[in-house]
Amino acid sequence: MKRKLTSWIMILAFFGTTTLPLQAAMISTPDVIAVEQSQYDRAQLIALLDRDDVQSQLLAMGVSAEQAAERVNSMTDLEVAQLNQRLADLPAGAGVLGVVVIIFVVFVITDAIGATNIFSFVRPVR
């Protein structure tokens, strides 16, 4: 009797489970490159923020390294790419100060649109 009951339970369990259909699709090379490029751009910007001279300039402006990294992580891929492009366009000697100014401007803009609240002197647009 116990064996028969176990058999019925196993049969019901086998037929009662459903499987979801699987779908596989090809991923195009441009899609893979776009994902890798966005990850590289973000990592490059985070590495730049980890430099001691950049961190000291950010601290002088009242922004901690953690806040800056959090801000970079919340930026869209397009914003990160644009910021990296601006940094690449800077002359070689203007690197640190230019980086800090660009990051400061980005922070002020995101404060102005209400995305964050880092600077008390910036009032968000209502």
Side-chain angles (χ1 to χ4, degrees):
M1 180 70 179
K2 186 176 182 181
R3 189 171 180 181
K4 193 174 191 178
L5 179 64
T6 305
S7 298
W8 278 107
I9 290 174
M10 295 297 283
I11 289 171
L12 288 174
F14 179 72
F15 287 115
T17 60
T18 59
T19 58
L20 297 174
L22 299 176
Q23 293 182 350
M26 295 296 293
I27 300 174
S28 67
T29 302
D31 291 340
V32 173
I33 290 173
V35 169
E36 290 296 321
Q37 184 66 41
S38 67
Q39 290 173 354
Y40 175 76
D41 287 344
R42 195 172 302 276
Q44 187 177 12
L45 196 53
I46 293 290
L48 183 68
L49 291 175
D50 287 341
R51 289 179 27 190
D52 292 333
D53 51 348
V54 174
Q55 286 184 5
S56 65
Q57 289 290 326
L58 287 173
L59 285 175
M61 293 182 181
V63 178
S64 70
E66 293 81 22
Q67 287 175 326
E70 183 179 311
R71 181 68 61 86
V72 169
N73 288 330
S74 68
M75 293 170 71
T76 65
D77 292 340
L78 180 62
E79 291 170 334
V80 171
Q82 288 173 345
L83 185 56
N84 276 335
Q85 183 60 42
R86 285 185 189 171
L87 294 175
D89 291 343
L90 290 175
V96 175
L97 184 58
V99 167
V100 171
V101 168
I102 288 175
I103 291 174
F104 180 73
V105 168
V106 169
F107 288 166
V108 168
I109 290 170
T110 54
D111 270 1
I113 63 173
T116 59
N117 187 15
I118 291 180
F119 301 114
S120 59
F121 60 87
V122 176
R123 301 285 179 230
V125 177
R126 304 262 175 208

